[in-house]
Amino acid sequence: MAFFETHDMVKHFGGLTAVNHVSFQVEQGQIYGLIGPNGSGKTTIFNLINGYFPLNGGEIRFEGSRISGLKTHQICRKGIARTFQVVKPLKRMTVLDNVIASAFLRCSTKAEARALAENTIEFCGMTGEADKLAKSLPIAWRKRLEIARALATKPSLLLLDETAAGLNPSESEQAIQLIKRIRDSGITIIIVEHIMKVIMTISDRILAINHGTVLTEGTPEEVASHPEVIAAYLGEDYRA
Amino acid sequence: MRSHLGPITFLILLIIYPWVVSDSYYQHLMILVLMWVAIGSGWNLIAGFTGQVSFGDAAFFGTGAYASALLAHKLGVSAWWGLAIGGFVAVIIAYPFGWICFRLRGAYFALATLALNEVMRHIATIWESLTEGMVGILVMQTFVSKVPYYYIALVIAVMSLVTVELVINSRWGYYFVSIREDQDTAESIGIDTHYYKMTSLSLAAFLTGLAGSLYTNYMGFIDPSIVFSLHDISIMAILVGIVGGVGTVYGPAVGAFIMVAVSEIFRTGGFGFLENLTRATSSPLVATITKYVKEAHVFSFGILVILVILFMPNGVVGDWKVLVQKFRSRRSRAPEG
Amino acid sequence: MEVFLQTLVAGLLKGGLYALIGIGMALIMGVMGIINLAHGQLMMVAMYVTYCLFHYLGVDPYLALFGSMPTLFLIGMAIQRFLLNPLMRVESILPENQVLMTVGIAMVLTELARFIFTSNYLSIKTSFSTKAFYLGGLSFSAALCVAFLFSAALTVLLFWFLIKTDVGRSIRAVAQDSEAAQLMGIDAERIKVITMGIGSALVAAAGTLLLPIYYLFPDIGGPFTRKAFVITILGGLGSAVGAIFGGITLGLAEAFGATYIGMDYEDMIGLIIFILVLLFLPGGFKRLTKV
């Protein structure tokens, strides 16, 4: 029984099948990558795991128990946190308050929440921005705030959605370092990315999908040399 | 502590107010202000902080009011017991209210609350065997002087403000604001948004219901068109919240003061100033103006809504810095360097 | 059986008129995303305009359409241009400012009417008002029939306008995706102003057509605003076609309610339908037609 697994996930939107019998397993402590062209269903998969959309078929299991069908906040409580592709900061709150709001999940007093929030912010290298209003942050910091907020819920599994999109090379590099630090602290990560450099460098295993269907699964080298994956990405610069 | 110096000073002033001002009319006005502080604070909790803009708070006010009235009228118990249970009865109403309305977001939530408000008003009007319908209910007033009512209202108002202050600095407060800012995000950081929206609504209902019970005891007479009134209660609550400052602790207090003042100034023509002016000048023009001003208070509310939303949507407290800056920049004519 | 058919006819005819009210509001909702809580009050203004034209100038109410519609068209445009469009740029905590603004406008319009005309109930009597004609044992109120015909004509005109003309297409574009429309060169703000004008003109027509068979006083706006949004919710927010079904449904519901339950409950029926639809059919009729 794997740490996290999906069996035969199916999701329809009207006549469109966005996710078509997708199954995969993630081991504890791994960084598991999910790649696919735009519109292939990656974010939908996250939305299914997270409980945003109900499954039309299949199931999702985490640490042995079934989580498909639970509400989003219950799933978070169980230890799965996520970031959003289109970042959703709590705009009119400061960075610190954003993270404190998250921290309250595991803390009962404000003092505790504050301490956890401050630690998390430091871990993410955001201490200098702590008192700034979330809406005043540029995109790179907003993405980091997404991560900090997710981390403050003390997850055991973290879903990162397009964390590196929109970042310049040096910001990307910093993001990669942060992700490694998160993995080293004991959190399992599933990461969605379509910037090859990021995902190929850090993933232990990768699932490649297109049009909601699994193309292949394996180590980064195996996936990168798979003919269908290359075909799907024809024209995309692999070495970003 | 320093930030509380202002409010504490006000509190002291409010405590000695009835000793200084013995005119029962002005005492009455302050009682109204204090009542609106409570109602406005309740609305602010659910709307300003949690982002669920309710257009139907009269449902809770009326429930509290009738709880008191019916205790006296049907059970022969003192209406003061209504103060104790009025808030709780309103909370009970809040549950189906929330269940129906919270499945909707934004303006549709607002409409649903408005519809429920009206439904309750209709029910209260039609269910005559329970509520006496439009005949209304008369309650014996316990005190002749207004002063005891004043202090009770003051306690309720202070309680409301303290409650809001405590809540927003706690986990509840953070959760409420998170829901307001982005409900989806809130869910994904583990907030049970339905539960916390209900909590916020229950608090609002409690404070508003309490104010309703006070109203019954103080005014001595209620009927559905008064206590379930869309314009006089629900929309007034919104105005109190908006004019004062949405999402701030003291906003409703400022808003209550301004709204009652504006309302009375129009209703009485500047507290009788215009009438005196008419008498003094014997001018028919002034007399006409006086007459129109006195009848124009709803009109002035409408204009006030329009102006506030256009120019000061965050209210006096919310836009305070903006107001101060505008004031300063008009005074100093020094050219920019 | 006869009572049933009679009620059915009355409901349908009234429903046609309601549809006109609903279409205006649906258009506004679809294009601007505003819930116009002053819709009934705009209708009230149109009714007063019609009354004045009739009373002081002897203009036949059906001709008065040419007076009330343009007037409300201009008023609607002014409201959108000066009071509602600016709100888009204002940064505030609560997004419901537009709704609140329309509440303020509604209050101002009502009180202005009261100021000018006092709270007295007014009505106009035309040769049509009490006439009825008989068909198959059922009586049809002449005024309602004429109103229904005009409504139908205006509705057809509106749809032709939306489908065939450039402005109409621009309106539909903005309704679907305001940003995309702007990127294609459509001045969204101007379109919104025009839409508000059209929506107001439509509800003005409804008011003018209604006046001969109804009565008029300043507070008449409120109940009609409520009816307007029940209709729009029933039909599916922003759907003009849906509003037609919504209007007819409400007309029928009120007619049957009045006949079989009691006159007092007319307002309640609308509210209860509203709540039921919100609970069980949030997309309105429009939702039913989609897969």
Side-chain angles (χ1 to χ4, degrees), chain C residues 1-7 137-138:
Chain C
M1 186 55 181
E2 204 182 273
V3 172
F4 178 84
L5 282 176
Q6 192 68 70
T7 312
L138 299 173

Side-chain angles (χ1 to χ4, degrees), chain B residues 149-300:
Chain B
Y149 293 109
Y150 176 86
Y151 283 113
I152 297 172
L154 183 59
V155 165
I156 293 179
V158 170
M159 203 181 90
S160 305
L161 292 175
V162 168
T163 304
V164 175
E165 172 91 38
L166 287 177
V167 163
I168 65 170
N169 283 313
S170 72
R171 169 199 265 157
W172 282 10
Y174 275 91
Y175 279 5
F176 292 164
V177 178
S178 300
I179 293 175
R180 178 186 81 197
E181 290 300 300
D182 195 318
Q183 202 166 310
D184 294 332
T185 301
E187 274 278 332
S188 64
I189 57 177
I191 299 176
D192 185 345
T193 55
H194 186 80
Y195 175 82
Y196 284 99
K197 285 198 279 193
M198 267 321 299
T199 307
S200 178
L201 187 66
S202 303
L203 273 175
F206 184 81
L207 292 175
T208 310
L210 204 56
S213 292
L214 175 65
Y215 184 87
T216 300
N217 279 289
Y218 172 56
M219 294 299 283
F221 173 75
I222 65 170
D223 75 33
S225 73
I226 299 176
V227 298
F228 281 112
S229 163
L230 184 61
H231 279 99
D232 296 331
I233 309 273
S234 294
I235 293 191
M236 178 76 162
I238 299 175
L239 285 177
V240 166
I242 291 202
V243 167
V246 154
T248 65
V249 178
Y250 294 105
V254 172
F257 192 81
I258 295 177
M259 291 310 293
V260 172
V262 167
S263 174
E264 282 303 300
I265 287 175
F266 272 92
R267 206 174 61 82
T268 60
F271 298 112
F273 169 74
L274 280 178
E275 291 209 332
N276 292 335
L277 194 61
T278 311
R279 244 174 280 146
T281 61
S282 306
S283 150
L285 178 64
V286 179
T288 322
I289 293 179
T290 309
K291 172 167 168 281
Y292 288 134
V293 163
K294 285 172 85 169
E295 284 171 9
H297 85 267
V298 179
F299 178 78
S300 66

Side-chain angles (χ1 to χ4, degrees), chain C residues 92 141 182 291:
Chain C
S92 86
S141 151
Q182 286 184 60
V291 168

Side-chain angles (χ1 to χ4, degrees), chain C residues 22-41:
Chain C
I23 293 178
M25 193 158 185
L27 211 57
I28 293 173
M29 220 183 259
V31 174
M32 281 92 88
I34 293 176
I35 298 193
N36 181 13
L37 287 185
H39 208 62
Q41 280 74 8

Side-chain angles (χ1 to χ4, degrees), chain C residues 98-138:
Chain C
Q98 288 180 335
V99 181
L100 276 170
M101 174 63 90
T102 62
V103 172
I105 294 171
M107 286 164 90
V108 169
L109 289 174
T110 308
E111 295 305 309
L112 270 177
R114 201 192 310 277
F115 178 76
I116 301 175
F117 295 99
T118 78
S119 299
N120 290 332
Y121 281 45
L122 301 171
S123 65
I124 65 176
K125 288 277 170 263
T126 67
S127 52
F128 279 74
S129 297
T130 44
K131 231 205 262 186
F133 58 91
Y134 297 88
L135 200 61
L138 299 173

